[in-house]
Amino acid sequence: MAVQGSKFWMALVAIFIMISFHQSSINGQLFNLENTNLWADQIGNEIYKFAYETLDLEQIENTYQRQDIIVEDLNGSLVVQELSKNLRSTFLTKVSALQKLVNAVQLLANDKLDNETELRQLHYYDSTSENITEELNMVYSPIYKTMVNTSISVIQIPKNVYSGNKTVLQTIEYTRNLNKYFVENYNNDSNLRNQYFGGTYAVFRTFPGRPWPKDKSGIVLYDCRQRGWYILGSDSPKNIVIMLDRSGSMRGMPLTIAKWGVSNLLDTLNQNDFFTILTFNESTTPVIDCYPDLIQATDNNKQLYKDYLEKFEDGGRADFNQSYATAFEMLHNARTQSYRHSAKCQEAIILFTDGAAQYVDKLIAEKNKDKKIRLITFIVGPQFYDTNEIQKLANKYNGFLAKVPSIGQVRDVIRQYTEVMNKPLLNDDVHPAKWTSVYWDKLGLGLVTTVVLPAFQFNASAGPLPEKLLGVMATDVPIEIFQQCVPQHLLSPNGYAFVIDNNGLVLFHPGITASNGYLENPPPIDIIHLEHGSRTEELRQAMIDRLTGSISMETEILHQNVNQGRGIIKKMTYHYTPIANTSYSVAIAIEDTTGLPNTTSCHSLGIEYLNNMTQNSIATTILNWLHCQGDDFHLSSKYDPKMSRNCYHEITSGQINDSTDFDKLCNKALFKQLLHDSYCVSKLKVPHQALQDDTLANQEGICDTFISTFSGITKYYTLISGQRCCNILGSSQCMQKGSGFEIRNISVQSPLYERVVSELSVNQSHFTFRLQHRIGAHYSILITKPINIGKSNKFLRAVVGMEMTFHRFRSIITSVPLLNENPALNCFNISNKSKVATCFILDENAFILDTNLDSTEVGKPLSIVDGNLLGSLILNNVYIRETIWDYQGVCSNSQTSSSARKIMNPFISVYNYFSVFTTSLFSFLAHFNLASMISYLGSFLHGRVAEGSYTDIRPDNKSCIYIRQFILLGENASSRVTGNTICDSDGNTRTFYMSPINNTNLRLVVVDESKSDVCQNDTITFTPATVDILLKLSI
């Protein structure tokens, strides 16, 4: 009986232990670091086995390893030198077309029509007239992406300039024969876009012909002479010190006019100029006292000084001696310092005062003995003082004096000083072309730059030097034209090239974005705003100094979806050199894994594959790189074999017959790589026949398999169509099986490669997992693996991968032995929704690929879903947070208002209309006749531009800064980590366990939720914060 009782109690204890064990599982107590590690390891093993079997990766890897490929380290110095030569050729081609226009207009200007009667009968196409749409007889142009007339040019004149003025009509008349040259350039070079001439009398002739876009006011005040491209072309570099009198006599309207005048004067400066602003009474102080030197006239810097103009008070007595002494000292310092603070050309001191000036001739004579510093003075407000002494100083020191009695005259008077500052252009024998910074074209032509040249009036009897400036000739050039020179096939996915000018401003760079929005005056982009490395300023200065060399540094590379918080830190080597006959320098950035494969064989099997690229459900495409001149590989789906004694004859359909032609017409290395890769991609395993049955394929969950190579060829199979697969194209719609669709987005240049290369620095055998676009309630998962060749297998040659359904991905995670043996550990199981534990599968940037939370959380950054957990992972150095200032931000003006505009409110609107009326009226009275009176009154009273389909719908935006943040892997990302997250102010915590999933870019994180009822989740947002433009010294 005792024995039976003992057995009873033993059984009872066993039952109790089992219940306790089960309860502890439910309560999450068995979730520990050991189990988390085991689970992660088994997931990694399952993924490795599954992927190798499905893709037959071993055969592909062996195929590449067995080939006679020799991989050499890429000689970045030679690559950048060759790129420099190609870019120089492109630059010179565009400048040559522009020079032809300049030569033409200079000849045409010598034969001006002088008869006023004939001039007033002159017919021209006014782009702002009401009937211009009917007059132009336009057709749609795919190049200009709108309706245009490519046989004529049109004229635009601002409403505050009298169009009946004789000099205006003469400019219209002699420039009309530019049409012939515009058309010739258009026919000879389709890469030229808009061609135009801006005259000194505000005549703006543009090609092709199209109506002028209507603005919001209905009054066209666009003045080509005030645009950045015109100022750049008609100006010479200068150092300027602006002195603003803030003594008591300036109180009220004089000071308001002076501030508005300074603001307008700043608009006449370009990035080749340097300036500062001093305010003075008894004392002299810089407007921004934290920076006492001259500063480069970038748009950001000019805007900042405008904002500071209202931040001082008037009063006291003006000490002109002290202020001039300070100005001379600043110019002297700029002259003797490094040219980073100086234009090393013209110098001027510009004074804004009411005329109550002291006698300072003795000081100026001492400081300006050689008279190289121009003295310019603007007398503002009603004149109560004698200005004779100031006028004498202006005359003696090659300067200029003007009176600005009212607000309405500010803009026109300020513009007059530019004629004085432009005089050095007339003394130069050579006038090199200048290029604007890159900007987003308002008419939808994409990213463009504008090249400009000044045009002059010559007098043969007066000598070879020009007599006066006629205006500025310009043409727009798409940035993609320069980018096409970059040998991307040599640089690897994370390699790239960029070009900067002698001010450090970028012509092209992959970091330039065009999606943020339109800006009326986009700020130039400095290279230090795009390169985020530790030696960026050193690199910038070397390129400005036109040196040749290389620099290595760690830099933050932002992925294409950086807005969501993606990026990586990589070590890059920068090779740089100047571009001859230009003011530009070019650089390439490459990794140490960048190699130059070379093969001696010509694979007949590769030729056979290229000649039969389309077979059943197989699809193949080739990037539109220039393998050989005249090739159309990327446009063809099948080739007719022409067997011959050499492979290049066959593959080019007989166009190339011998090795001499091959060397001359083909990129030999790239061509042979293409043949080699064609042979290798033919080894991509045809998925098991069962998978090609729609029902079985859906059960297996394999959407696509593919291989994409470094020579530009991509091959893939499509197995599943429908909502469960987002397709590897990244399109918003899934492609149908067997549709023969063309791959455009999977290539060396795609984000797919970008992230695979990023993982190479962690582990060469890694599979990279990427969550595809969501379609309805479904996601798919893209899995990729690098194929490496060469010494130590460090050179990336291809990427192999597949797309699987989200359901298939989940089944791999939850079908490992650990969970089969211990179902209670499966936090993804429906029965575990009591949230005893929360599980996350995270990628390298802490985005959620899977979780047992609601399915809507999949695809989100962990920062939004569980900010407390991310904060703890950062504290444990599993992840790190990086911050970058993005200077390409575009914000709506409705969000904030510019301080510079406050200076003039409510004067601005009044001025716009008053200026149009008064300026036009005075010009009209000076050239009175009945016809002009009727024309003038009609145009003003209507107060609108041409009716038609062209409306200016540009948003009212301004430049601002985005403060962007993104997550990267930390030092402990490859370790197994346990830690606690603080839930609330009372110190309650949750325990988490993190383990890397072997052979992948993923991390498994399990969180004990036994205290979740008292935990409050915080959100870490990565939405970019915006701030107004700050001072960024261009050094």
Side-chain angles (χ1 to χ4, degrees):
M1 188 69 177
V3 174
Q4 291 179 347
S6 176
K7 290 182 178 180
F8 170 79
W9 287 110
M10 289 177 65
L12 189 62
V13 169
I15 294 172
F16 176 77
I17 292 174
M18 292 177 61
I19 294 174
S20 298
F21 179 88
H22 180 71
Q23 188 63 40
S24 66
S25 297
I26 296 176
N27 290 335
Q29 295 174 11
L30 288 183
F31 285 105
N32 53 41
L33 187 59
E34 181 181 355
N35 285 333
T36 303
N37 295 340
L38 182 57
W39 187 7
D41 289 345
Q42 291 180 357
I43 292 174
N45 293 337
E46 286 294 318
I47 288 173
Y48 191 88
K49 178 182 177 182
F50 175 77
Y52 262 79
E53 290 179 353
T54 303
L55 298 171
D56 200 7
L57 276 170
E58 186 173 353
Q59 179 179 346
I60 295 175
E61 290 174 336
N62 290 337
T63 301
Y64 268 102
Q65 293 298 336
R66 287 196 299 264
Q67 301 310 308
D68 57 338
I69 298 179
I70 300 173
V71 184
E72 302 172 353
D73 288 335
L74 184 67
N75 190 326
S77 177
L78 292 180
V79 173
V80 79
Q81 292 286 352
E82 187 64 25
L83 175 57
S84 175
K85 293 178 184 178
N86 293 336
L87 286 169
R88 175 182 177 272
S89 177
T90 302
F91 276 111
L92 293 182
T93 299
K94 310 311 173 189
V95 172
S96 177
L98 189 64
Q99 187 65 59
K100 182 171 70 173
L101 296 175
V102 170
N103 295 340
V105 79
Q106 289 178 165
L107 286 175
L108 295 171
N110 290 328
D111 191 21
K112 294 178 183 176
L113 182 63
D114 196 55
N115 187 300
E116 289 199 33
T117 301
E118 293 183 37
L119 285 172
R120 299 198 182 283
Q121 295 174 352
L122 181 68
H123 174 267
Y124 61 91
Y125 293 98
D126 181 355
S127 63
T128 67
S129 71
E130 295 187 10
N131 300 319
I132 187 63
T133 302
E134 291 77 15
E135 292 181 39
L136 286 180
N137 190 26
M138 298 178 293
V139 296
Y140 180 80
S141 167
I143 294 177
Y144 294 97
K145 301 177 182 179
T146 188
M147 303 286 288
V148 296
N149 186 319
T150 55
S151 61
I152 61 173
S153 58
V154 294
I155 294 291
Q156 180 270 327
I157 302 171
K159 286 294 183 179
N160 57 341
V161 173
Y162 177 53
S163 60
N165 185 289
K166 180 179 178 180
T167 53
V168 170
L169 293 174
Q170 284 181 318
T171 305
I172 295 173
E173 190 275 332
Y174 77 74
T175 60
R176 64 179 177 176
N177 288 325
L178 283 174
N179 278 338
K180 178 177 69 172
Y181 301 95
F182 285 147
V183 173
E184 284 181 6
N185 278 344
Y186 171 76
N187 291 332
N188 293 336
D189 187 354
S190 61
N191 290 324
L192 291 178
R193 294 301 188 262
N194 303 308
Q195 303 175 67
Y196 41 96
F197 173 74
T200 54
Y201 298 104
V203 174
F204 187 39
R205 181 176 289 277
T206 64
F207 174 91
R210 66 185 127 190
W212 191 264
K214 288 194 289 187
D215 60 20
K216 296 175 182 178
S217 68
I219 297 178
V220 180
L221 294 174
Y222 180 95
D223 191 331
C224 62
R225 299 168 299 178
Q226 297 173 352
R227 310 306 296 176
W229 61 269
Y230 185 95
I231 295 170
L232 182 66
S234 63
D235 202 4
S236 58
K238 52 189 173 291
N239 293 338
I240 286 180
V241 176
I242 302 171
M243 302 196 316
L244 180 56
D245 183 354
R246 58 183 173 94
S247 63
S249 63
M250 289 283 289
R251 182 165 298 167
M253 184 57 69
L255 188 58
T256 300
I257 297 173
K259 290 179 179 180
W260 184 231
V262 172
S263 181
N264 275 262
L265 190 144
L266 292 179
D267 290 336
T268 69
L269 306 181
N270 62 66
Q271 62 262 25
N272 294 318
D273 301 324
F274 289 77
F275 77 99
T276 192
I277 303 175
L278 303 176
T279 66
F280 69 96
N281 47 22
E282 293 94 343
S283 62
T284 301
T285 58
V287 166
I288 302 178
D289 55 10
C290 64
Y291 191 68
D293 298 318
L294 301 189
I295 191 169
Q296 191 173 15
T298 65
D299 283 4
N300 292 355
N301 292 340
K302 289 189 293 184
Q303 184 59 53
L304 185 75
Y305 273 78
K306 289 180 183 182
D307 292 344
Y308 270 79
L309 280 178
E310 62 175 332
K311 297 183 179 181
F312 62 84
E313 297 180 357
D314 53 36
R317 177 184 57 84
D319 187 340
F320 286 84
N321 271 287
Q322 184 189 70
S323 59
Y324 269 108
T326 303
F328 280 116
E329 181 181 3
M330 296 185 77
L331 290 175
H332 172 76
N333 292 339
R335 196 182 313 124
T336 56
Q337 290 175 356
S338 167
Y339 70 84
R340 67 178 61 184
H341 298 296
S342 175
K344 295 294 183 183
C345 192
Q346 292 194 85
E347 296 176 303
I349 297 174
I350 302 178
L351 170 66
F352 286 83
T353 185
D354 59 356
Q358 297 174 343
Y359 186 71
V360 292
D361 187 53
K362 183 178 180 180
L363 171 70
I364 295 175
E366 177 186 344
K367 300 288 186 181
N368 195 21
K369 294 178 182 179
D370 54 8
K371 299 181 181 180
K372 289 185 177 180
I373 300 176
R374 298 180 186 274
L375 300 184
I376 297 173
T377 302
F378 292 100
I379 306 298
V380 297
Q383 184 178 339
F384 299 110
Y385 306 98
D386 183 16
T387 59
N388 288 334
E389 292 299 324
I390 301 177
Q391 182 69 65
K392 290 179 182 178
L393 288 175
N395 296 339
K396 185 176 180 179
Y397 295 99
N398 304 312
F400 171 77
L401 182 140
K403 298 174 182 179
V404 193
S406 66
I407 287 287
Q409 293 176 280
V410 167
R411 187 171 296 173
D412 292 332
V413 175
I414 292 296
R415 188 170 55 243
Q416 295 175 23
Y417 103 97
T418 61
E419 298 176 7
V420 175
M421 301 304 296
N422 292 344
K423 287 182 179 179
L425 283 176
L426 304 178
N427 299 321
D428 294 336
D429 295 326
V430 179
H431 301 93
K434 299 177 183 178
W435 298 75
T436 68
S437 298
V438 61
Y439 61 95
W440 182 246
D441 180 70
K442 69 179 181 181
L443 297 177
L445 299 182
L447 288 170
V448 299
T449 181
T450 299
V451 56
V452 297
L453 276 172
F456 299 97
Q457 174 80 58
F458 286 87
N459 186 338
S461 61
L465 293 178
E467 187 177 50
K468 67 176 183 178
L469 181 72
L470 292 173
V472 175
M473 195 72 70
T475 184
D476 297 335
V477 182
I479 293 301
E480 63 182 334
I481 302 306
F482 301 103
Q483 292 172 322
Q484 288 172 3
C485 296
V486 178
Q488 191 61 47
H489 63 280
L490 295 177
L491 303 184
S492 88
N494 278 339
Y496 55 92
F498 60 88
V499 171
I500 67 171
D501 67 10
N502 58 325
N503 291 307
L505 303 178
V506 175
L507 177 68
F508 71 81
H509 186 289
I512 293 179
T513 60
S515 59
N516 290 338
Y518 172 77
L519 284 174
E520 177 72 19
N521 293 295
I525 302 173
D526 198 291
I527 190 61
I528 59 177
H529 299 159
L530 296 177
E531 289 292 333
H532 308 285
S534 57
R535 301 176 66 187
T536 297
E537 291 190 8
E538 181 183 347
L539 170 65
R540 178 184 186 273
Q541 194 59 50
M543 294 180 70
I544 288 176
D545 291 342
R546 300 185 66 77
L547 302 178
T548 295
S550 63
I551 287 176
S552 295
M553 60 179 163
E554 285 194 341
T555 187
E556 294 163 338
I557 297 177
L558 306 184
H559 288 173
Q560 295 182 20
N561 51 353
V562 65
N563 292 350
Q564 298 179 356
R566 289 198 182 277
I568 191 168
I569 295 178
K570 300 286 289 184
K571 183 177 181 180
M572 308 292 286
T573 298
Y574 297 80
H575 299 270
Y576 52 87
T577 194
I579 302 174
N581 302 118
T582 74
S583 60
Y584 289 98
S585 288
V586 60
I588 61 171
I590 57 176
E591 301 177 83
D592 62 0
T593 57
T594 304
L596 186 62
N598 188 20
T599 178
T600 57
S601 61
C602 192
H603 289 280
S604 59
L605 291 177
I607 297 171
E608 181 180 347
Y609 181 82
L610 286 176
N611 283 324
N612 300 277
M613 285 201 308
T614 304
Q615 300 178 17
N616 301 322
S617 60
I618 305 173
T620 307
T621 60
I622 302 175
L623 281 177
N624 58 344
W625 290 339
L626 188 63
H627 298 80
C628 286
Q629 293 185 27
D631 78 49
D632 58 354
F633 298 160
H634 62 288
L635 300 178
S636 303
S637 59
K638 191 171 183 178
Y639 300 97
D640 295 326
K642 293 176 181 278
M643 301 306 294
S644 181
R645 65 183 181 276
N646 53 47
C647 60
Y648 37 83
H649 173 89
E650 178 183 343
I651 201 66
T652 58
S653 301
Q655 296 178 35
I656 302 175
N657 295 306
D658 54 43
S659 59
T660 302
D661 287 341
F662 183 44
D663 293 341
K664 181 172 62 176
L665 299 177
C666 292
N667 184 328
K668 185 190 301 185
L670 180 60
F671 187 90
K672 287 187 174 181
Q673 290 173 38
L674 176 66
L675 295 182
H676 175 266
D677 283 337
S678 299
Y679 165 72
C680 292
V681 302
S682 67
K683 300 300 181 181
L684 178 65
K685 179 180 178 181
V686 179
H688 191 274
Q689 187 65 33
L691 290 182
Q692 299 186 45
D693 177 88
D694 281 346
T695 303
L696 294 177
N698 274 277
Q699 291 176 1
E700 192 67 21
I702 306 299
C703 306
D704 310 274
T705 61
F706 63 91
I707 180 171
S708 183
T709 77
F710 210 74
S711 64
I713 187 170
T714 300
K715 169 187 175 182
Y716 72 97
Y717 297 90
T718 300
L719 303 170
I720 300 178
S721 60
Q723 287 192 331
R724 299 181 67 199
C725 295
C726 297
N727 75 77
I728 56 179
L729 293 181
S731 173
S732 59
Q733 296 181 353
C734 288
M735 295 296 187
Q736 299 297 317
K737 177 180 176 180
S739 62
F741 59 90
E742 178 186 8
I743 292 182
R744 291 186 292 271
N745 294 339
I746 284 196
S747 71
V748 173
Q749 299 167 315
S750 71
L752 176 149
Y753 257 86
E754 188 179 62
R755 289 185 64 189
V756 171
V757 173
S758 299
E759 285 296 306
L760 276 178
S761 59
V762 181
N763 191 319
Q764 294 180 356
S765 63
H766 264 186
F767 289 90
T768 299
F769 284 70
R770 173 182 175 183
L771 192 71
Q772 290 291 82
H773 300 276
R774 181 172 184 161
I775 297 182
H778 300 280
Y779 289 96
S780 68
I781 302 292
L782 189 64
I783 309 171
T784 52
K785 183 178 185 306
I787 302 297
N788 304 309
I789 60 174
K791 183 171 54 180
S792 303
N793 283 336
K794 74 172 186 176
F795 297 110
L796 177 67
R797 187 62 208 163
V799 170
V800 181
M802 61 181 168
E803 181 188 13
M804 65 171 61
T805 63
F806 184 77
H807 176 77
R808 186 70 175 96
F809 177 66
R810 169 70 68 85
S811 70
I812 293 176
I813 294 173
T814 58
S815 299
V816 298
L818 174 67
L819 301 190
N820 292 334
E821 297 169 5
N822 301 279
L825 291 175
N826 185 0
C827 56
F828 290 96
N829 195 302
I830 295 296
S831 63
N832 290 340
K833 289 294 184 177
S834 58
K835 294 299 179 291
V836 296
T838 301
C839 299
F840 295 102
I841 304 292
L842 304 177
D843 69 9
E844 72 274 22
N845 297 118
F847 279 74
I848 301 172
L849 268 72
D850 200 359
T851 179
N852 62 335
L853 299 177
D854 190 87
S855 61
T856 59
E857 308 295 355
V858 173
K860 293 180 181 178
L862 182 63
S863 58
I864 294 176
V865 177
D866 196 334
N868 288 330
L869 175 58
L870 178 60
S872 297
L873 292 170
I874 291 174
L875 286 176
N876 284 272
N877 212 13
V878 174
Y879 291 104
I880 59 175
R881 177 161 51 180
E882 291 291 325
T883 300
I884 283 181
W885 287 50
D886 180 358
Y887 289 81
Q888 300 180 69
V890 175
C891 303
S892 171
N893 258 322
S894 60
Q895 296 174 357
T896 58
S897 59
S898 169
S899 299
R901 304 296 286 182
K902 295 176 183 176
I903 296 173
M904 291 304 303
N905 287 339
F907 300 106
I908 299 298
S909 298
V910 175
Y911 162 71
N912 283 341
Y913 287 91
F914 180 74
S915 176
V916 171
F917 180 78
T918 55
T919 306
S920 300
L921 180 60
F922 292 151
S923 297
F924 155 73
L925 292 175
H927 304 84
F928 175 80
N929 64 51
L930 182 60
S932 64
M933 179 185 74
I934 296 173
S935 173
Y936 163 71
L937 289 177
S939 65
F940 179 77
L941 293 176
H942 278 288
R944 64 177 187 268
V945 294
E947 299 292 339
S949 59
Y950 289 79
T951 302
D952 187 354
I953 57 173
R954 293 168 291 173
D956 185 19
N957 291 336
K958 70 170 184 175
S959 181
C960 61
I961 298 172
Y962 290 153
I963 303 177
R964 299 191 185 278
Q965 299 183 73
F966 58 97
I967 295 296
L968 302 175
L969 295 177
E971 291 183 1
N972 292 334
S974 299
S975 303
R976 303 170 189 268
V977 176
T978 183
N980 296 305
T981 67
I982 299 176
C983 297
D984 52 33
S985 57
D986 294 331
N988 292 303
T989 62
R990 296 180 298 164
T991 301
F992 70 85
Y993 311 100
M994 190 288 300
S995 183
I997 298 178
N998 293 338
N999 306 313
T1000 75
N1001 62 322
L1002 305 179
R1003 271 81 194 152
L1004 171 64
V1005 180
V1006 179
V1007 184
D1008 180 0
E1009 297 289 2
S1010 60
K1011 298 181 181 179
S1012 61
D1013 56 329
V1014 296
C1015 283
Q1016 299 175 352
N1017 179 46
D1018 290 331
T1019 296
I1020 301 176
T1021 178
F1022 284 86
T1023 302
T1026 59
V1027 296
D1028 283 336
I1029 290 296
L1030 303 178
L1031 176 63
K1032 184 64 182 178
L1033 305 183
S1034 299
I1035 61 175

